[in-house]
Amino acid sequence: GIPAAASPAAPGQHPPPVATDREQQKRLVENRPDQPQEPRVLRVAIIGAPNAGKSTLCNQLLGRKVFPVSRKVHTTRCKARGVITHEDTQLIILDTPGLTNPLKAKRHNLDEAMLTDPWDSMKHADLVLVLVDVSDHWTRNSLSKEVLKCLSQFPHIPSVLVLNKVDILKKKFLLLEIATDLTEGIVNGKKLEVKSALKQDSRSSAKSPLHVPQASPAASKVPGSPFGQEKNQAQEGSGLDKSSDVGGAGTGEGPKHHGPKDLKDTRGWPHFQEIFMLAALHGEEVDTLKRYLLMQAKPGPWEFHSDVLTSQSPQEICDNIIREKVLEYLPLEVPYGVTQVTDVWEEGECGELLIVQSLLVPRESHKRMLIGRGGKVISRIAQEAGQDLMNAFLCDVRLKLKVEVK
């Protein structure tokens, strides 16, 4: 995990820890929010293909790791909420599982709820964040059918495109091509245009051809900030120019109608309001995105007390984080058969949190794999999960794992 200090929630403000006691966390979550004088709120749904990095981005935005992350698909199974409270503004992150289709779901035997889930959180969102992994050259040049379906079903909800893992992309000029494909060349009702300066750039070894006009005063000192918004800003020297308005799309009305027939040959969505480029894993541009989200918030009551970081119970966080490690270190089919049972959850003499969990597996061979030669695998899982839990709860954690055949 990343030390909390590396990604502050906001300048000079550390995200609150998660309570270690179930009742205490429950009280916190159900606590009447401490409303400021003029509260503002924004509910953000993050959608994207499985493994686009949604949970990593959530953790980075929150400034503390509370969502499990793994290279395997479908680490996220819960409808957890992340909560970011900064001054008078509260962002509520609705973490949706990767949008997937019924066929794949059957293969991974995911429950029905997970399939309907993304749509469910969309209904409550004020803003949709579409995350695309640009390091995946199979999928990066078109939005998935599921994502397009989702966007066209909720065209009235403002959406922004976030290109993730841009640090892995060797050829930076591809970013422009990807951005154009995914937006059909239109952002915020303006056409994306490439200036000639850019064309020379792509031949030279320029770092990034995207000299983008800054979005807002708040983001002005941050490189890689979203594509320009300010109408009155001098555009010269910028890599992209949003010229002429396109057929009134800039009026914020969203598309009129997008039937299924349009989706067949559609690759992008021409109604994004902004594009962000970041590497969620390193939190570099995450702050720019966070400032943007804070600025988009509308007046309205907070939903959670400012001490709440996530709606998950401490046990859920613990289960999810251990599960994440199990997914990470075991071959594909094994982890999905593991059942977790918490035997002990108590405070030790020195105030440390004592957790003993049994991992129940269906077969003896699975047990051997999970324990590993000389107990290597299981102790590594316990060690790494323990470290993550310390970061989440901000207290010492002693974690013991036992493996048994069901």
Side-chain angles (χ1 to χ4, degrees), residues 98-128:
L99 293 188
T100 183
N101 56 33
L103 198 68
K104 282 205 193 106
K106 238 194 168 73
R107 263 213 318 265
H108 285 287
N109 47 39
L110 303 172
D111 47 17
E112 283 305 297
M114 258 190 81
L115 285 174
T116 50
D117 201 2
W119 311 98
D120 198 47
S121 40
M122 285 292 287
K123 287 204 279 289
H124 310 291
D126 305 311
L127 181 86
V128 188

Side-chain angles (χ1 to χ4, degrees), residues 314-354:
Q315 276 83 355
E316 276 176 307
I317 292 180
C318 176
D319 285 355
N320 284 334
I321 281 180
I322 291 172
R323 186 184 167 71
E324 161 200 323
K325 307 298 175 199
V326 173
L327 279 163
E328 201 61 65
Y329 293 123
L330 290 188
L332 196 59
E333 74 288 356
V334 180
Y336 298 102
V338 175
T339 309
Q340 295 166 271
V341 178
T342 302
D343 307 318
V344 179
W345 182 288
E346 59 186 40
E347 198 175 313
E349 358 237 75
C350 313
E352 76 279 24
L353 176 61
L354 204 61

